[in-house]
Amino acid sequence: MEPMELPRLFDRDTLPTRPRPGTAPAGQDILTVAQFGRPLLGHIFQRADEMKVMVERAGGCDLLRGHVLACLFYEPSTRTSASFIAAMERLGGSVIPITQGVQFSSVSKGESLPDTVRTLEQYADVIVLRHPDVGSAKVAADYAAVPVINAGDGAGEHPTQALLDLFTIREELGAIDGRRVAMVGDLRHGRTVHSLTRLLLQYDVSLRFVSPDTLRLPMALMNELIDQKRDVRETHDVADVIADADVLYVTRIQKERFADLAHYEEVKDLYEITPEIMRQAKEKMVVMHPLPRVGEIHYAVDADPRAAYFRQVKKGMYVRMALLAMVLGKA
Ligand code: CP
């Protein structure tokens, strides 16, 4: 049998690490999808599959009993916060939830991010952080002695969402290679779009991007795709991509990231996936959305078996269970 390639997440030579006296190599941060190569992705998906079976059979287990997760959210969240909490509790661990608004924590008294994480590490074995500033998770990781998991840093990255998105494509369609993925909406600010696009570069996929000019994929990311000679097209119109898409990845226009609200008003209603649009789509394809949605997928689409966005939510918990187990050395 071929020796298994070491997962990149555990490779101290290729990761931004610092000494962690007394901790095992497993105790690495998850900051960006750049940390994940295909062997590690395959390993995580296999573990997520196992978590799914375990939850369906037993509801939970004691794998992480005695471990504590601190959930530190400076921005609103439903899915990411709740799924990390559910993941930790189903694995027998416990949670410090600072998720209902940091205004109720000492952040409201002016406590800095470094001091906050250096406090939480006294209680917790891992910190999940959502913060409005790009690069904030890296800053937290530079100060924390326990692993930090990036749960969204402004318009930067949302690596665990991208992992669950990829896991969903694999589960729903059976394979990722050979698929055509069309992303629709706010591609400029959508951190889930940025992270998923980068992860998809590890696969043989073609990519279609649908947005108004002002919300196109960031130039640096598009240049990466062009440099790699990827099959990529941009358009303003869902009608140009719907018939050939295997995955329609719809995103919200992110009002909170607009400096000019008049501009938001101009673009906010440009896209709405309706049953009529779905009639032009393949019989075997999936509609995904990181959620929340605010009108870009009509509620009437929910009954379509191709609407995978709530199944996607549940798969996120299994992926986050796998990630917590891995980061805490129980993989
Ligand atoms: N997909 C996602 O990040 O959702 P929340 O903002 O609710 O966490």
Side-chain angles (χ1 to χ4, degrees), residues 45-91:
F45 295 158
Q46 194 182 338
R47 292 311 311 265
D49 282 335
E50 291 164 12
M51 295 296 181
K52 177 171 180 259
V53 171
M54 185 276 289
V55 169
E56 287 172 354
R57 284 189 186 157
C61 69
D62 281 341
L63 188 68
L64 295 184
R65 184 144 58 143
H67 289 84
V68 177
L69 160 69
C71 256
L72 177 61
F73 279 62
Y74 289 72
E75 278 190 335
S77 167
T78 297
R79 278 144 294 270
T80 312
S81 56
S83 67
F84 267 113
I85 292 170
M88 194 65 181
E89 293 191 348
R90 284 189 185 272
L91 290 171

Side-chain angles (χ1 to χ4, degrees), residues 56 64 98 123 128-129 152 154 158 170-171 189 198 205 240 243 256 260-261 272 301 305:
E56 287 172 354
L64 295 184
I98 306 179
Y123 312 126
V128 171
L129 173 72
H158 194 348
R170 172 186 172 272
E171 287 256 303
H189 302 114
R198 288 208 162 88
V205 294
D240 294 339
E256 67 275 23
D260 174 6
L261 279 185
E272 185 187 27
V301 175

Side-chain angles (χ1 to χ4, degrees), residues 70-121:
C71 256
L72 177 61
F73 279 62
Y74 289 72
E75 278 190 335
S77 167
T78 297
R79 278 144 294 270
T80 312
S81 56
S83 67
F84 267 113
I85 292 170
M88 194 65 181
E89 293 191 348
R90 284 189 185 272
L91 290 171
S94 41
V95 182
I96 301 168
I98 306 179
T99 54
Q100 300 303 317
V102 285
Q103 69 268 28
F104 300 116
S105 75
S106 287
V107 170
S108 66
K109 303 173 199 163
E111 188 163 45
S112 67
L113 179 60
D115 279 3
T116 303
V117 298
R118 282 186 293 191
T119 298
L120 290 175
E121 77 189 21

